[in-house]
Amino acid sequence: MLAALIGAALRKGIKGRIWDGYKLHRSDRDVVVLTYVVNASFCCPPLAYRSAFFVAAAIASLAMAGARKKLQERVALRRTAWKLADIVVLFLLLALLARRAATLGDTSTTWQWPWLAALVCEAWFTFVWLLTINGKWSPVRFDTFPEHLLEADDELPAVDMFVTTADPALEPPVITVNTVLSLLAVDYPDARKLACYVSDDGCSPVTCYALSEVAAFAALWVPFCKRHAVGVRAPFMYFSSAPDEAGSHGADFLESWASMKSEYDKLASRIENADEGSILQDAEFAEFVGSERRNHPTIIKVLWDNSKSKTGEGFPHLVYVSREKSPRHYHNFKAGAMNVLTRVSAVMTNAPIMLNVDCDMFANNPGVALHAMCLLLGFDDETDSGFVQAPQKFYGSLRDDPFGNQMEVLFQKLGGGVAGIQGMFYGGTGCFHRRKVIYGTPPPDTVKHGTTGSPSYKELQMKFGNSKELIDSSRSIISGDVLARTTANMSSRIEMAKQVGACNYEAGTCWGQEVGWVYGSMTEDILTGQRIHTTGWKSVLMDTNPPAFLGCAPTGGPASLTQFKRWATGVLEILISKNSPILGTIFGRLQLRQCLAYLIVDVWPVRAPFELCYALLGPFCLLANQSFLPKASDEGFYIPVALFLTFQVYYLMEYKDCGLSARAWWNNHRMQRITSASAWLLAFLTVLLKTMGLSETVFEVTRKESSTSDGSGSTNEADPGLFTFDSSPVFIPVTVLAILNIVAIAVGVWHAVVTGTVKGIHGGPGIGEFLYCCWTVLCFWPFVRGLVSRGRYGIPWSVKVKAGLIVGALVHFCTRN
């Protein structure tokens, strides 16, 4: 009787608990209860005979060990050979620095100011390499077991899913529609626990109309996907290829497939041909009449309410949100939109878990939410999984990544390494968050030794604002109540949601600082994730097969460099602000190695001046008859040669190890050189001018390619991998370098072959400078080709003229002596 009472109490107390990455079933918990009773008997001998309980304890422990079901497993990846290669490259860098430093004071050798400039640049390259070694040193991966999750009888937490879009012209509504449909069709035991919120920062009636059409189509699409176990649940991707009629599909399926494709084609056609004027005549969209993109009240529409559906039926709630905009208030770009979504969802559904994706990043794996739950629930200490980030991967990507923005090697090599420190960076999309972590709640171990107890109403009001409903919902989240708010009618909460969506709601609160997505950077994702890590939370990298999410990478020169410029601007804003990771390590709980990992990304724009200076040394020496590299006859000549070859082979083997081609390695190498001299350089100058108070940064939305029925990424262009240009200033620096290196090679050859005279110090340039300039021209070959091409593939004359004037000035400077 006593054992039964103890067992009942323990069973109630440990229900739903997690031990060491395992989820216990009801039967497993009975074993744990037995073990507790057995252990208690040792403390209280009268309960039973010690010997009998000792045998029972051994049997129970063995049974429990065999009965546990893993939800996740952390697997350390060995990279012994890569570590040796890291050290070899570092040794060669240090040897080069030592060689240069040893000759600085020797006037009989090659001492001149290009030699000193090269020393400074190479010291910086060594520092960046040390950061890279740290980031890649201890990679891990996390394996998930969703089948074990479904076997358990515990309820899974609710999830609020956020989709953000900002411009219907650059981000066509049909793209958003496919992303939303893929989320509405994800596998989850109870669809009533899912809600999809779409933030439309463009306040577009066409986008709202498209989503209202989604609600009707989803009633057909979601049951079709689950009935036939469809693998890819974004319709445009699924219907991009016909089913195999010779396969195992029956006639009923083929008929259903054809009917569903016809319905989707009609849906896509209605959305693409939607006329804003006609839409505004419909009373359902009356709120959009008179609204401007940057001046309108909050618009919230519940397009589908699933609260009346039975368990497992229907599809998630669907809510359209367009936050209030006013010229008198700064709207903080995507971070502001995410904070509004967080508040609106808090007063409507208040799920403890939140997923955010960009409008072009559809759910490619229907079990993505279950995989995420394995990682969020599969740790003994929830501190180890503050958020779960999926790597960004792309559909219809161009072969060999001609624009260097698919980042496969970055996520596989650097991402896996960072995951082994304090956790993967937050990438802005494809991320599952704990709501209480976004609310700024510290990890449990911090609270344990600090202030305890539930925060007061006044404290919550100062942090979250004056909405009573928001304060009550935040209190339930912070206190650990993981049940979502249940309401018979979501429409009844629209007015509450509009209140927290007002543009002046955040005044006097902690939103954007201690609560929500952090303001102060154009890369709000990196900054928000860094704040979470600084608080003491860790994160997890979720790399599933098939990939959890797929998006579309921008193509063409302007779109690619615009994206890189925005990222670089944002990370430099972080580096020089009070949110710097260095300060987070000194005054917060950001681990030192994690700080160094953040610096790999944060110093992107800082690399631009050093790489630009190094790129100018070659043509300068050829034009001025000087040198910055050892001569072939010098004993130190083989150090830079060995370094160059080792470095290139190292990265080539990384690409091969990731299953990519040598052409992909070359494309990414040249794009890194191009990006550094263009997008990163302009980002550096932009932040510098902003710091001096001379300009403000501007958020630029990257154009998304519209695709309704073809997931191949094909376009009407003859060769979509060719570099395209416009008159943007971002193309001027690289055009200057391309022309300057060509001129320098021609002048150097003239001096060496035609005149046969050398006027420079200590014999002038050698073979090293010639090879260096030739390599630079190869890296900038898209710009060399752009100088002679026409149309979109040719550099505009406005850019050529400006670049030509700068080249003339540089040539005059180099040859004036």
Side-chain angles (χ1 to χ4, degrees):
M1 183 67 178
L2 178 61
L5 291 174
I6 296 175
L10 289 174
R11 189 178 294 112
K12 180 179 180 181
I14 67 175
K15 182 179 181 180
R17 289 290 304 277
I18 309 295
W19 279 271
D20 300 326
Y22 297 90
K23 187 88 167 183
L24 298 187
H25 298 239
R26 184 182 301 277
S27 60
D28 303 333
R29 289 195 294 270
D30 291 338
V31 177
V32 178
V33 169
L34 175 60
T35 305
Y36 272 96
V37 175
V38 171
N39 292 337
S41 70
F42 286 101
C43 300
C44 186
L47 289 177
Y49 295 102
R50 290 192 179 187
S51 58
F53 274 106
F54 178 80
V55 174
I59 296 174
S61 298
L62 291 173
M64 182 182 68
R68 287 178 174 179
K69 299 291 186 178
K70 290 184 178 181
L71 291 184
Q72 59 80 25
E73 183 178 12
R74 187 179 191 269
V75 181
L77 305 177
R78 296 185 62 182
R79 61 183 305 271
T80 305
W82 290 107
K83 289 181 179 179
L84 292 175
D86 292 338
I87 295 174
V88 168
V89 174
L90 178 61
F91 172 79
L92 291 172
L93 282 166
L94 294 175
L96 181 60
L97 291 178
R99 173 65 183 173
R100 290 198 184 276
T103 58
L104 283 182
D106 188 357
T107 57
S108 64
T109 60
T110 56
W111 158 240
Q112 45 194 301
W113 79 261
W115 200 267
L116 177 61
L119 173 63
V120 174
C121 294
E122 288 159 0
W124 170 259
F125 300 153
T126 304
F127 170 71
V128 172
W129 184 250
L130 286 170
L131 296 179
T132 304
I133 290 177
N134 167 75
K136 297 179 178 179
W137 193 257
S138 50
V140 299
R141 78 166 187 267
F142 292 88
D143 296 334
T144 52
F145 308 98
E147 63 276 9
H148 297 168
L149 187 72
L150 296 174
E151 292 172 4
D153 60 355
D154 299 301
E155 294 185 358
L156 296 180
V159 181
D160 287 338
M161 304 178 290
F162 302 153
V163 180
T164 53
T165 182
D167 190 326
L170 298 178
E171 300 170 332
V174 71
I175 291 181
T176 305
V177 161
N178 275 276
T179 296
V180 170
L181 284 169
S182 72
L183 294 176
L184 296 181
V186 296
D187 291 331
Y188 212 64
D190 188 352
R192 296 177 302 175
K193 288 192 171 185
L194 301 178
C196 182
Y197 295 83
V198 182
S199 170
D200 176 19
D201 252 16
C203 191
S204 169
V206 176
T207 300
C208 186
Y209 165 79
L211 292 172
S212 67
E213 292 290 307
V214 163
F217 178 74
L220 303 173
W221 174 246
V222 174
F224 171 81
C225 290
K226 296 186 177 180
R227 184 167 60 250
H228 299 290
V230 172
V232 180
R233 299 183 180 179
F236 86 98
M237 182 65 70
Y238 178 68
F239 292 122
S240 63
S241 59
D244 183 8
E245 298 186 12
S248 59
H249 302 302
D252 291 342
F253 167 78
L254 296 177
E255 182 179 351
S256 179
W257 184 94
S259 174
M260 190 58 58
K261 184 178 187 304
S262 175
E263 291 296 326
Y264 172 70
D265 290 341
K266 293 177 184 177
L267 170 70
S269 177
R270 289 196 300 271
I271 293 173
E272 292 179 334
N273 297 322
D275 177 67
E276 183 172 325
S278 301
I279 292 173
L280 292 177
Q281 294 178 7
D282 191 332
E284 183 181 353
F285 304 97
E287 292 176 88
F288 290 93
V289 176
S291 295
E292 300 176 3
R293 179 178 177 181
R294 294 179 175 83
N295 188 15
H296 63 85
T298 303
I299 301 176
I300 299 178
K301 290 184 173 295
V302 178
L303 302 176
W304 174 255
D305 186 348
N306 191 26
S307 58
K308 297 180 181 179
S309 301
K310 296 180 181 180
T311 301
E313 292 185 357
F315 53 91
H317 308 291
L318 180 59
V319 183
Y320 171 89
V321 180
S322 184
R323 58 178 171 144
E324 182 184 11
K325 291 282 190 67
S326 172
R328 298 188 301 273
H329 292 85
Y330 190 67
H331 64 274
N332 291 298
F333 310 119
K334 183 180 176 180
M338 291 302 303
N339 284 337
V340 170
L341 284 177
T342 302
R343 295 194 296 269
V344 168
S345 64
V347 301
M348 298 188 79
T349 48
N350 200 36
I353 306 299
M354 303 182 296
L355 161 67
N356 89 278
V357 296
D358 289 341
C359 65
D360 66 318
M361 191 70 64
F362 67 84
N364 181 66
N365 188 329
V368 59
L370 300 177
H371 286 283
M373 290 305 123
C374 288
L375 295 171
L376 288 167
L377 305 178
F379 288 90
D380 180 47
D381 187 352
E382 66 181 13
T383 302
D384 293 325
S385 57
F387 63 85
V388 174
Q389 175 67 57
Q392 291 190 34
K393 298 185 179 182
F394 305 96
Y395 66 86
S397 54
L398 298 176
R399 184 178 180 181
D400 298 328
D401 193 11
F403 301 102
N405 51 16
Q406 296 174 23
M407 302 177 292
E408 292 186 57
V409 174
L410 178 70
F411 273 104
Q412 287 194 44
K413 296 298 183 178
L414 183 59
V418 175
I421 308 177
Q422 199 172 347
M424 182 58 183
F425 307 146
Y426 168 38
T429 182
C431 186
F432 289 83
H433 305 268
R434 296 183 187 273
R435 188 181 288 267
K436 69 177 181 180
V437 174
I438 290 294
Y439 282 175
T441 306
D445 60 337
T446 305
V447 178
K448 186 185 303 182
H449 301 290
T451 304
T452 58
S454 179
S456 66
Y457 185 91
K458 188 67 176 178
E459 292 173 328
L460 292 174
Q461 186 180 38
M462 293 178 62
K463 288 184 66 175
F464 295 96
N466 295 322
S467 171
K468 182 180 183 302
E469 291 77 15
L470 180 59
I471 292 174
D472 291 341
S473 68
S474 63
R475 186 192 297 275
S476 68
I477 290 294
I478 294 173
S479 64
D481 181 7
V482 298
L483 296 179
R485 182 187 302 277
T486 57
T487 175
N489 184 6
M490 288 186 65
S491 298
S492 64
R493 298 188 172 273
I494 288 181
E495 292 305 317
M496 305 174 193
K498 286 184 177 181
Q499 177 190 352
V500 298
C503 55
N504 61 350
Y505 181 82
E506 296 179 350
T509 69
C510 295
W511 285 98
Q513 302 300 323
E514 301 174 18
V515 179
W517 273 252
V518 184
Y519 301 151
S521 170
M522 294 176 69
T523 52
E524 77 295 323
D525 46 5
I526 294 290
L527 181 54
T528 301
Q530 183 183 297
R531 187 207 69 183
I532 293 172
H533 286 139
T534 301
T535 308
W537 294 93
K538 295 181 180 180
S539 58
V540 188
L541 179 64
M542 179 180 66
D543 195 359
T544 61
N545 185 24
F549 301 95
L550 291 179
C552 59
T555 59
S560 300
L561 294 182
T562 294
Q563 186 180 66
F564 281 120
K565 178 178 177 290
R566 185 177 71 243
W567 291 343
T569 302
V571 295
L572 185 55
E573 289 173 332
I574 296 173
L575 183 62
I576 64 175
S577 70
K578 64 179 181 180
N579 299 310
S580 171
I582 300 173
L583 298 179
T585 299
I586 297 175
F587 301 106
R589 303 186 67 194
L590 187 67
Q591 297 178 12
L592 176 60
R593 287 192 61 200
Q594 187 75 7
C595 168
L596 297 178
Y598 270 111
L599 288 179
I600 298 174
V601 178
D602 289 350
V603 301
W604 275 357
V606 183
R607 291 169 58 176
F610 293 95
E611 295 194 18
L612 176 63
C613 176
Y614 210 73
L616 289 171
L617 286 177
F620 171 82
C621 290
L622 289 181
L623 293 171
N625 278 319
Q626 297 188 25
S627 65
F628 78 102
L629 293 172
K631 298 294 189 297
S633 58
D634 190 349
E635 59 184 9
F637 175 75
Y638 295 101
I639 296 177
V641 172
L643 176 61
F644 173 80
L645 294 177
T646 303
F647 188 80
Q648 301 303 332
V649 170
Y650 176 95
Y651 275 108
L652 174 60
M653 295 309 298
E654 271 200 334
Y655 278 80
K656 300 296 287 185
D657 189 48
C658 294
L660 302 175
S661 65
R663 183 62 181 269
W665 158 77
W666 170 248
N667 288 337
N668 278 262
H669 173 74
R670 66 173 176 79
M671 277 304 301
Q672 192 277 318
R673 295 288 305 272
I674 291 173
T675 301
S676 176
S678 56
W680 291 356
L681 180 63
L682 261 66
F684 178 83
L685 296 176
T686 298
V687 177
L688 180 63
L689 293 175
K690 177 186 176 182
T691 305
M692 298 170 60
L694 299 178
S695 71
E696 286 293 332
T697 54
V698 178
F699 189 91
E700 299 172 278
V701 180
T702 305
R703 176 178 293 276
K704 309 298 190 303
E705 298 296 331
S706 177
S707 183
T708 59
S709 61
D710 184 6
S712 65
S714 62
T715 67
N716 294 326
E717 298 181 19
D719 186 354
L722 286 178
F723 215 88
T724 56
F725 302 90
D726 60 18
S727 57
S728 171
V730 75
F731 295 108
I732 296 177
V734 189
T735 305
V736 169
L737 288 173
I739 298 175
L740 185 63
N741 276 274
I742 293 173
V743 172
I745 292 172
V747 172
V749 170
W750 176 268
H751 285 160
V753 177
V754 179
T755 65
T757 59
V758 177
K759 301 179 181 178
I761 304 173
H762 304 298
I767 188 64
E769 284 76 15
F770 276 99
L771 294 177
Y772 180 83
C773 287
C774 291
W775 181 260
T776 303
V777 170
L778 288 177
C779 291
F780 296 154
W781 189 254
F783 283 75
V784 176
R785 184 170 50 208
L787 290 172
V788 296
S789 299
R790 298 180 180 180
R792 296 177 62 240
Y793 303 107
I795 299 175
W797 274 105
S798 60
V799 175
K800 292 179 183 178
V801 170
K802 295 172 185 177
L805 293 175
I806 297 174
V807 169
L810 290 174
V811 171
H812 173 72
F813 171 78
C814 296
T815 58
R816 61 180 179 176
N817 294 326

